[in-house]
Amino acid sequence: MSSDRTVRMQQLRVAVVGAGAAGLCAARHILSRPDNFAPPVVYELTEHVGGTWFYEERTGSYDNGLPIHSSMYRDLRTNLPKEVMMFPDFPFDPQLPSFLPHQEVQKYLERYCQSHCITPHIRFSAVVDEVSPVVTEGKGPMTTWEVTSRDKSGSQNTETFDSVFICSGHYSDPHIPSIPGLERFKGKVIHSHSYRHPEPFSGQSVVVLGAGASGLDISLELGRSNAQVTLSHGKPTLPFPLPYGVHQATPVEEIQEDGSLRFQDGSITQAQVLLLCTGYNFSYPFLEPARLGLEVQEHLVTPLYRSLMPPAFPSLFIIGICKIICPFPHFHCQVQFALAVLEGSVALPSQAEMEEEAQGEMARKVERGVQLRHMLKMDKEQWGYAQTLAQTGRFAPLPPVTQSLYEEVWRQRQVHPQNYRQVNYRLVSDTQWEEQELHAGE
Ligand code: FAD
């Protein structure tokens, strides 16, 4: 920007890293404000849009040696109904059921991209290697950003922008927990990032580690495929019956000398496969966190003002870093807020005040007993957060029905993980929805 605190009258140039849902959302809103913004440059390391939602049968690396980005598995159906999952200004096809196979979300994102004429602004097969601030002294400190990217041929190019939106996702760098003796396990160890379908595990004994959304979902599909599944997790006993073939266990404490697994309650088992559904690390290899005043840890990035930007550089925005959110509506709010900041219609507090607010939030969470690795989980706080962004950024808030339907589905998922998707919802108004049970086979 011309100055970190003042607006410049000419169009701002924005770089967007990633053409997943967050990057497309950023591009769509930038393009809708031609008075203030030049068309964005969207860098995308793959040859397609969609990010997570583009299913890759391959695991490991792309032909260029970079690790496969998407963690999508073949039979995944969304865990949110399309009525709340959608960008609030762009509904899914009304003919579709509420809970969608991943292919439909990919088609939706492609349609979003086409409808908003984003494609011409995407550089495919362009990997961002470095994003660094350039601070110059004029009337005040002025920050621009140098973005260095690499194309298919390997040649590098550096361009200058007024602002950067980091939309590179955070479900790609597998988190491998430190289990004593893991190297002694004699079977196959894989992370859910590289899980695609259950058939290879049929008839095998599989210990699934972690009962988050993927751990539970994958355990159920492995169980249906005739694997003997032990779902090992640190949560209280799950409040619903698990299907035949799926048992619960306490966390794995150690892999013993003979390769067997010892659980926290002292029980021991042998297994052919250890499937780690243990989440992902935050990873921004193209940033130099210390230069930005940030600390990037496996499960935490601090300090971030409004869970969005480093107080020292409020023209860099990390979209969608929080977990336990309703992703697309959340991106929609963050992007509009960020653009309002760049346009100067949101007056930011001083750097020191932003730091104090971000650190104060963390301190309050620590006081409430929130562990460091859960700090960026928003859960119930997401609605107040989105509301505040909308009020401050002066754009339309999320309709109340997004929260009420999201919370209803969340409740159903806790008690009926196997059949909460057997229902269709219909939005009746901004505040109301109705449901319709599906019959077997629908
Ligand atoms: P991504 O989709 O990961 O996109 C990031 C993009 O950035 C990718 O295209 C990547 O190639 C690109 N990129 C990364 N690094 C670089 C670089 N250096 N240079 C250039 N490009 C780069 N959400 C829901 O709402 N409902 C669901 O049911 C649901 N299920 C999920 C199931 C799974 C298995 C996973 C992993 C996630 C699920 N999510 C779900 C959450 C999902 O991540 C979000 O919905 C959303 O797709 C995230 O979008 P994103 O743009 O932030 O990241």
Side-chain angles (χ1 to χ4, degrees):
M1 312 205 277
S2 62
S3 153
D4 285 333
R5 309 248 151 246
T6 55
V7 204
R8 165 168 91 176
M9 295 318 286
Q10 73 197 74
Q11 290 177 315
L12 296 171
R13 271 180 55 88
V14 182
V16 177
V17 183
L24 295 177
C25 178
R28 172 254 186 280
H29 286 282
I30 292 168
L31 286 166
S32 73
R33 301 169 186 221
D35 287 349
N36 294 331
F37 296 94
V41 176
V42 183
Y43 298 92
E44 170 50 52
L45 69 81
T46 67
E47 288 170 355
H48 43 75
V49 301
T52 295
W53 294 99
F54 185 90
Y55 176 69
E56 272 285 353
E57 180 69 28
R58 282 178 294 183
T59 57
S61 312
Y62 299 110
D63 298 341
N64 61 7
L66 287 169
I68 299 278
H69 181 82
S70 179
S71 303
M72 193 49 59
Y73 40 97
R74 186 192 64 195
D75 298 336
L76 180 134
R77 279 173 75 202
T78 57
N79 55 23
L80 291 174
K82 70 178 199 303
E83 290 73 16
V84 302
M85 199 174 146
M86 66 184 201
F87 291 113
D89 56 355
F90 196 80
F92 278 87
D93 177 349
Q95 304 301 323
L96 291 169
S98 284
F99 293 93
L100 300 169
H102 58 80
Q103 293 88 340
E104 291 297 342
V105 183
Q106 175 65 19
K107 280 190 210 157
Y108 168 84
L109 291 173
E110 286 168 5
R111 194 162 59 80
Y112 183 82
C113 185
Q114 275 154 17
S115 301
H116 296 107
C117 303
I118 300 168
T119 314
H121 309 290
I122 305 176
R123 307 241 181 104
F124 291 103
S125 300
V127 188
V128 171
D129 283 332
E130 200 177 331
V131 172
S132 44
V134 178
V135 182
T136 46
E137 288 299 328
K139 283 183 190 154
M142 304 203 328
T143 303
T144 52
W145 296 90
E146 284 187 346
V147 175
T148 303
S149 63
R150 194 169 12 115
D151 68 15
K152 228 176 183 169
S153 71
S155 76
Q156 273 195 333
N157 178 27
T158 299
E159 287 157 284
T160 303
F161 296 91
D162 298 298
S163 166
V164 182
F165 281 54
I166 308 292
C167 302
S168 51
H170 53 80
Y171 293 113
S172 285
D173 182 14
H175 176 71
I176 311 294
S178 48
I179 302 171
L182 186 57
E183 69 291 349
R184 294 197 282 255
F185 185 69
K186 296 193 172 68
K188 186 174 178 187
V189 181
I190 69 163
H191 189 276
S192 53
H193 175 59
S194 301
Y195 170 85
R196 294 293 179 265
H197 28 74
E199 290 80 12
F201 306 98
S202 176
Q204 299 202 358
S205 51
V206 184
V207 171
V208 175
L209 223 61
S214 296
L216 189 55
D217 211 28
I218 291 174
S219 294
L220 297 177
E221 66 173 58
L222 286 172
R224 285 193 295 271
S225 259
N226 205 25
Q228 291 95 52
V229 182
T230 304
L231 175 56
S232 160
H233 63 91
K235 297 184 172 181
T237 307
L238 300 173
F240 43 80
L242 288 166
Y244 180 76
V246 183
H247 308 278
Q248 293 184 66
T250 53
V252 173
E253 203 148 75
E254 186 194 10
I255 312 292
Q256 308 199 112
E257 289 295 335
D258 65 353
S260 59
L261 293 97
R262 184 165 57 76
F263 297 96
Q264 213 171 57
D265 64 1
S267 58
I268 290 170
T269 197
Q270 292 281 356
Q272 289 161 295
V273 180
L274 183 55
L275 177 40
L276 305 173
C277 295
T278 43
Y280 296 86
N281 301 318
F282 288 119
S283 168
Y284 301 100
F286 44 83
L287 293 180
E288 208 184 308
R291 248 183 105 187
L292 302 173
L294 288 178
E295 191 181 351
V296 177
Q297 301 170 48
E298 284 172 349
H299 298 292
L300 186 60
V301 178
T302 47
L304 286 177
Y305 178 66
R306 300 280 151 102
S307 306
L308 187 58
M309 52 191 154
F313 290 96
S315 52
L316 180 84
F317 303 95
I318 308 185
I319 305 296
I321 197 167
C322 289
K323 299 176 181 176
I324 322 263
I325 51 163
C326 189
F328 296 6
H330 183 87
F331 304 159
H332 176 84
C333 293
Q334 285 193 321
V335 162
Q336 290 182 87
F337 178 80
L339 294 177
V341 168
L342 292 173
E343 284 170 334
S345 54
V346 170
L348 290 178
S350 69
Q351 180 183 334
E353 285 166 330
M354 289 195 276
E355 269 158 8
E356 204 179 298
E357 184 180 313
Q359 273 147 8
E361 247 169 57
M362 291 292 140
R364 282 190 291 280
K365 286 190 176 175
V366 171
E367 250 168 52
R368 292 207 314 265
V370 178
Q371 292 171 27
L372 279 189
R373 66 198 181 96
H374 298 314
M375 287 284 177
L376 286 178
K377 290 187 175 167
M378 265 204 181
D379 203 356
K380 289 190 169 43
E381 286 166 21
Q382 63 177 306
W383 312 112
Y385 171 82
Q387 178 79 17
T388 306
L389 293 190
Q391 254 163 16
T392 330
R394 295 200 201 108
F395 55 88
L398 297 179
V401 72
T402 307
Q403 174 177 354
S404 60
L405 183 49
Y406 175 98
E407 288 179 342
E408 167 64 9
V409 171
W410 187 267
R411 268 192 300 276
Q412 293 300 331
R413 205 163 104 198
Q414 302 311 305
V415 271
H416 307 295
Q418 294 187 75
N419 49 20
Y420 72 96
R421 295 182 179 98
Q422 289 297 338
V423 78
N424 266 343
Y425 296 100
R426 196 174 74 83
L427 298 184
V428 179
S429 68
D430 268 7
T431 52
Q432 273 186 310
W433 44 269
E434 61 182 25
E435 74 176 63
Q436 174 199 9
E437 257 190 62
L438 294 180
H439 304 291
E442 267 188 272

